[in-house]
Amino acid sequence: MKKIVSILIVLITISSQAQNKKWTLIECVQYALENNISVKQSELDIATADIDKLTAIGNFLPSLNAGAGVSESTGLNFNPVTNNAQTETFLSANGNINVGYTLFDGLRNVRTIQRAEISKLASQYRLDKMKDDISLFVANGYLQVILNKANLEVLKSQNAVTNEQIERTTQLVEAGSLPRGDLLEIKAIDASEKQTIVNAENAIQISLISLAQLLLIKDYENFDIEDEGYDVVDGGIADKDISEILAKAKESRSEIKIAQQNVELAKKDVQIAKGANLPTLTAFFGYNTRYTNNSSFIQEVDADNPFTTEQIGVVEDTGQSVVGQFPNTVLREVGADPFIDQLSQNDGIGYGLNINIPIFNGFATKGNIKRSKINLQRSEYQLEQAELDLESTVYQAYVDAKGSLKSYEAAELALESQQLAYDYAKERYDVGLTNAFDFSQSKLRFDNAKIEVNRAKYDYIFKLKVLELYFGIPATELKF
């Protein structure tokens, strides 16, 4: 019984720890990359590219095929062994092995395997880009939860101050130092703040659910994140020149690499299409054998009467007959030879070379070449457009990061000013030199300044990480 109780305690403890688990940003990103359906589909694309490469390698190997057949014939049929027409029922069998090998096909096999390697590389770049995008989505959702939690802490902290003011104002009103209207004003502020706190708690819950859905986690109730230790961490990216960031982005970003590989794929398609204009040379070797259970007839000398005498001519002058002696043969039916013996007796081989020279095929090859060249031009234009889009995106990310930094710095300065104004208003209110409405307005501006600092801070963190991502830092190595 004690053992059962101990096991239950351990299980309850483990379950409680699992429910109280708080996810870090790195854990969220890694979990998303491991479980995201789009990532899994991209991994299947890589597996498909591996199969295409295996198929391309197989084109360099000879083809080997074997065949066999068995049949029973009744009536007039040709004996497959003797090739004689026979009217009877017999069983026959045949087997063959054929080997073929392409000696030259206009280098299309070589181009195909090169294309398969490029295709796999392009699939890998698409997977990398998708992982970067998903990592940013997760980071953005994660920072939104942290922002909402930070705002809730601000609201709760300021509401605690409001409750202290209610107690103090109640004492002053009872002492006759302040009018009762001031107390009602403070209580109204408290009610409004409590409503705002409820809305902030709902915002946290909604953002947590959104993040859980992004991670494909269904246990919304117990899902929570680690909301401490995240601050502005600048690895020096903010001080770099835009030209340096842009050059690094063109060198490292997956969207450029994807477009470059698409150009290489289009070039290989042109080469493969041109290869159809060249002759194809193949070699072949075949082996076949036959068997039948049908009996056959052979001629042999009659043992009882081995020779016969027949007239073969006449002497012209005398008229005397000229005779000759010939072997006396008779037909004798013999059974079929054993199966193994017939395989070697009736076998045959064939080998040789085939050459196929394309002369005219209704402009099909010419059309394929032109179509491949057009696709190459399209891929080159797409690469050029991708570079322009990346340049525009990097410039926008750079401006956004610089702008969000200025907004963050301005928000901190505004908070300092509002802190001083709030402290001054509080001192005046405590000694009765200002009314509750003016104090509440000062407090509201102070609360909003704190919330704005939080918003500007996490907005700057995210945009800074976006800029670092364009600089070539992997999403899993971004520091917060």
Side-chain angles (χ1 to χ4, degrees):
M1 185 65 182
K2 291 182 178 180
K3 290 184 178 179
I4 295 176
V5 173
S6 300
I7 293 174
L8 290 176
I9 292 174
V10 171
L11 292 176
I12 292 173
T13 302
I14 294 175
S15 176
S16 176
Q17 290 176 350
Q19 293 180 355
N20 295 330
K21 171 182 173 57
K22 290 192 174 184
W23 292 64
T24 65
L25 177 56
I26 297 299
E27 289 175 336
C28 287
V29 170
Q30 290 177 343
Y31 187 88
L33 296 181
E34 292 172 0
N35 296 275
N36 186 271
I37 295 177
S38 297
V39 171
K40 292 181 179 179
Q41 289 176 335
S42 293
E43 290 173 344
L44 291 179
D45 291 340
I46 295 179
T48 301
D50 284 330
I51 295 174
D52 293 339
K53 182 178 179 180
L54 180 64
T55 304
I57 293 175
N59 291 336
F60 286 93
L61 302 177
S63 62
L64 176 63
N65 297 285
V70 61
S71 63
E72 188 173 66
S73 301
T74 300
L76 181 62
N77 288 283
F78 284 93
N79 188 311
V81 174
T82 64
N83 205 31
N84 294 324
Q86 298 178 208
T87 303
E88 59 180 302
T89 298
F90 60 88
L91 179 72
S92 63
N94 63 82
N96 61 83
I97 297 177
N98 296 298
V99 180
Y101 186 71
T102 301
L103 299 175
F104 181 76
D105 68 340
L107 299 179
R108 281 176 288 180
N109 283 345
V110 176
R111 308 302 186 195
T112 300
I113 193 171
Q114 292 172 346
R115 190 188 189 284
E117 292 174 348
I118 296 172
S119 179
K120 180 180 179 181
L121 192 58
S123 298
Q124 182 62 57
Y125 289 145
R126 282 191 288 269
L127 176 60
D128 293 341
K129 183 180 184 301
M130 182 169 295
K131 287 183 176 180
D132 287 345
D133 293 341
I134 291 173
S135 299
L136 278 182
F137 290 150
V138 173
N140 190 31
Y142 196 96
L143 292 176
Q144 184 61 50
V145 176
I146 294 178
L147 172 60
N148 292 338
K149 287 192 172 188
N151 290 340
L152 179 61
E153 291 301 319
V154 170
L155 296 173
K156 286 183 176 180
S157 175
Q158 291 304 102
N159 185 247
V161 174
T162 301
N163 290 326
E164 292 177 359
Q165 290 299 320
I166 289 176
E167 295 179 3
R168 181 172 179 77
T169 303
T170 300
Q171 295 173 358
L172 294 175
V173 169
E174 291 176 352
S177 301
L178 290 176
R180 187 169 184 80
D182 284 0
L183 178 60
L184 296 176
E185 180 70 27
I186 296 295
K187 287 185 176 180
I189 294 173
D190 177 61
S192 178
E193 289 179 347
K194 283 183 167 56
Q195 183 181 7
T196 305
I197 288 174
V198 171
N199 293 335
E201 290 173 341
N202 290 336
I204 292 174
Q205 203 60 36
I206 292 172
S207 58
L208 278 172
I209 291 175
S210 298
L211 180 58
Q213 290 176 337
L214 184 60
L215 300 178
L216 301 179
I217 294 176
K218 298 181 179 180
D219 188 8
Y220 300 151
E221 295 181 358
N222 297 317
F223 178 73
D224 200 0
I225 67 169
E226 183 63 55
D227 52 4
E228 296 181 357
Y230 295 97
D231 207 341
V232 178
V233 180
D234 183 6
I237 189 69
D239 298 329
K240 295 185 180 298
D241 187 75
I242 180 62
S243 59
E244 183 181 357
I245 298 175
L246 182 59
K248 190 68 175 179
K250 289 182 178 180
E251 177 185 340
S252 61
R253 286 300 297 170
S254 296
E255 48 262 52
I256 299 299
K257 293 181 179 179
I258 292 171
Q260 290 172 342
Q261 296 308 312
N262 287 338
V263 171
E264 296 301 319
L265 285 173
K267 289 181 179 178
K268 290 301 173 186
D269 288 338
V270 172
Q271 293 175 339
I272 292 173
K274 288 182 176 180
N277 283 326
L278 300 177
T280 300
L281 179 63
T282 59
F284 66 90
F285 174 85
Y287 171 83
N288 63 83
T289 186
R290 295 166 297 281
Y291 163 80
T292 181
N293 70 343
N294 190 29
S295 59
S296 60
F297 293 89
I298 62 173
Q299 288 185 337
E300 62 181 7
V301 177
D302 187 353
D304 298 330
N305 186 18
F307 298 101
T308 61
T309 300
E310 296 179 6
Q311 181 179 337
I312 60 175
V314 178
V315 178
E316 184 176 353
D317 294 336
T318 64
Q320 183 180 2
S321 297
V322 179
V323 297
Q325 194 176 47
F326 298 93
N328 182 28
T329 61
V330 294
L331 288 175
R332 184 171 66 86
E333 183 178 6
V334 295
D337 291 338
F339 178 79
I340 298 298
D341 292 343
Q342 287 196 42
L343 291 183
S344 60
Q345 293 169 0
N346 304 326
D347 64 356
I349 61 173
Y351 50 86
L353 297 173
N354 284 327
I355 186 169
N356 181 33
I357 302 174
I359 297 176
F360 182 74
N361 61 355
F363 302 113
T365 300
K366 187 175 182 179
N368 288 335
I369 293 174
K370 288 186 175 182
R371 191 177 296 109
S372 299
K373 288 182 177 180
I374 291 173
N375 289 334
L376 174 58
Q377 288 181 333
R378 183 179 290 112
S379 298
E380 290 173 343
Y381 290 146
Q382 289 172 348
L383 172 59
E384 185 177 352
Q385 186 63 52
E387 291 176 344
L388 292 175
D389 292 342
L390 179 63
E391 183 175 344
S392 175
T393 304
V394 171
Y395 268 106
Q396 185 63 51
Y398 184 80
V399 172
D400 289 344
K402 291 291 186 180
S404 61
L405 174 59
K406 291 180 180 179
S407 297
Y408 179 43
E409 292 172 344
E412 286 186 320
L413 290 175
L415 178 60
E416 292 178 4
S417 299
Q418 292 298 333
Q419 176 77 58
L420 295 174
Y422 170 73
D423 292 341
Y424 179 67
K426 184 175 181 300
E427 291 175 359
R428 288 174 59 83
Y429 179 74
D430 289 342
V431 297
L433 295 178
T434 186
N435 57 39
F437 177 78
D438 292 336
F439 172 71
S440 67
Q441 293 300 307
S442 178
K443 182 175 181 297
L444 178 61
R445 288 191 293 270
F446 179 50
D447 293 345
N448 289 337
K450 279 189 172 181
I451 291 175
E452 178 59 22
V453 166
N454 287 336
R455 187 204 64 78
K457 172 185 175 181
Y458 290 109
D459 181 65
Y460 175 57
I461 290 176
F462 179 74
K463 290 178 177 177
L464 186 65
K465 298 308 144 182
V466 171
L467 198 59
E468 289 179 349
L469 198 65
Y470 282 118
F471 192 66
I473 299 175
T476 54
E477 296 180 10
L478 296 177
K479 297 181 180 180
F480 291 84

